[in-house]
Structure formats: structure tokens, C-alpha cells
Amino acid sequence: SGRTQYYCAACQKLYDRWIKIDPAITWWVAPDGEYWHESAGVFVRNSDGKFLFFERNIFPFALTVPAGHVDAGESPDVSACRELEEEVGIVAKPRELKTVTNEDVRGDVCSRGADSHRWHAFLMTLGGPIIDITVKEEGDSPVWLSLEEADTRSLTVPVKYIIGRYADWLRA
């Protein structure tokens, strides 16, 4: 189906996610034992007021915005710019991003085994319409949608959460 899965040699089964303790990304274990990652994502708005989304082919399988884990020692805005370029080829500088929120999102499960993430969401407004977007990593089927249209689709937990709390701010 084009979706990434992980093979366990011990039990000889395929899984959508795995536990990976990776010193290259920002992670921690909270006092309650919860394994956390830090993530950054960008809501890209075009001149028509629509936002860029794409279907993830790595767990969690849902519609999302360009986003990913924050590398160790990396600031969230730099991470957001890196993910934007890696995933959809849009080059941005941190000064072009507006902070939407920095908050904890429980229930945001990822392929690396964390069930909660500290999310840094940003907004980038493009000056003109984008003719063609190609998803280069972790997904396919890019689409420009209004927030109302997106909210009728299956969205990743943090994207749904941020739209639910900050839709008016994202549209402004």
C-alpha cells in the first residue's frame, strides 16, 4: 500500500511504529514515565487563503502539514524550515515564520514510539499561488484546502488540535 512498516525479527511481525531512543532528536521521559518528542510544523497558507496538506505514508497515516521532530540542539523555527524543505521543497528562513503555538499535545503518536509531543506550530504565508508541490518525504497527494475542508478529513492529532484551537488566528 506504500505505507512504511517495521519488521520485528523476534516475533516476525510487521508494525506501524517502533520504539527508538534517538540522541539525534529532542526527547525525554516525563516524571509520569511518558516518552516525549519535540516537533515543529508549518501551516503554509497561499494567497487564496488555502493551506497545504498531504497524506502521510509513515505512521500516523493521516492528512498533515509539513512537520517533523526537532533535532537535538536545533531551535524549533530552524527545524520547521528544515522539515518544510525536506518534505515539500519550500525554502524558508525562520524570520518568514510566525509562531502559532508552543504547547504539549498528548495523544500525538509517532512512528518512533512517543505518544506525546511538545509542538511548535508556525504559519508561513506565500505571496503568490503555488502551481505544483511535490511531497518529497513521508507522504504524497499534496492538496490545498481551507481549514473547514481539512477539518472534514482524517487529520493527524496535532494538526486537528491546532486547527481546533487556532483556526481564526491561522486565517487572519
Side-chain angles (χ1 to χ4, degrees):
S1 67
R3 292 181 168 185
T4 299
Q5 290 190 304
Y6 305 94
Y7 177 73
C8 174
C11 68
Q12 299 179 349
K13 292 184 181 176
L14 289 173
Y15 295 93
D16 291 337
R17 54 194 302 226
W18 58 324
I19 300 289
K20 182 176 183 184
I21 307 298
D22 186 352
I25 67 169
T26 305
W27 66 274
W28 64 96
V29 176
D32 65 359
E34 187 75 30
Y35 177 44
W36 285 76
H37 289 163
E38 191 168 12
S39 294
V42 183
F43 285 78
V44 179
R45 184 178 64 204
N46 69 15
S47 60
D48 296 329
K50 297 210 173 188
F51 294 82
L52 176 62
F53 296 91
F54 65 88
E55 290 289 338
R56 287 183 53 86
N57 60 21
I58 296 177
F59 186 86
F61 307 116
L63 203 62
T64 195
V65 298
H69 292 115
V70 175
D71 285 348
E74 186 177 49
S75 66
D77 57 347
V78 169
S79 176
C81 290
R82 175 181 50 76
E83 291 290 342
L84 189 60
E85 184 173 3
E86 286 175 3
E87 293 189 351
V88 296
I90 297 174
V91 177
K93 292 183 171 50
R95 69 176 181 272
E96 298 174 271
L97 305 179
K98 293 182 183 176
T99 300
V100 176
T101 188
N102 297 296
E103 61 186 279
D104 295 343
V105 180
R106 289 189 175 267
D108 176 20
V109 297
C110 74
S111 63
R112 293 180 176 205
D115 291 333
S116 300
H117 288 75
R118 176 156 303 137
W119 247 80
H120 304 277
F122 298 93
L123 171 66
M124 179 182 184
T125 303
L126 301 175
I130 294 292
I131 296 170
D132 188 31
I133 291 286
T134 300
V135 181
K136 298 172 8 175
E137 289 188 5
E138 300 182 14
D140 52 43
S141 305
V143 61
W144 293 94
L145 301 170
S146 69
L147 296 179
E148 294 76 21
E149 292 168 327
D151 204 32
T152 67
R153 309 264 187 113
S154 176
L155 299 169
T156 59
V157 167
V159 169
K160 186 162 189 66
Y161 175 82
I162 291 163
I163 289 173
R165 291 201 61 182
Y166 300 100
D168 289 341
W169 195 95
L170 288 164
R171 281 189 213 96

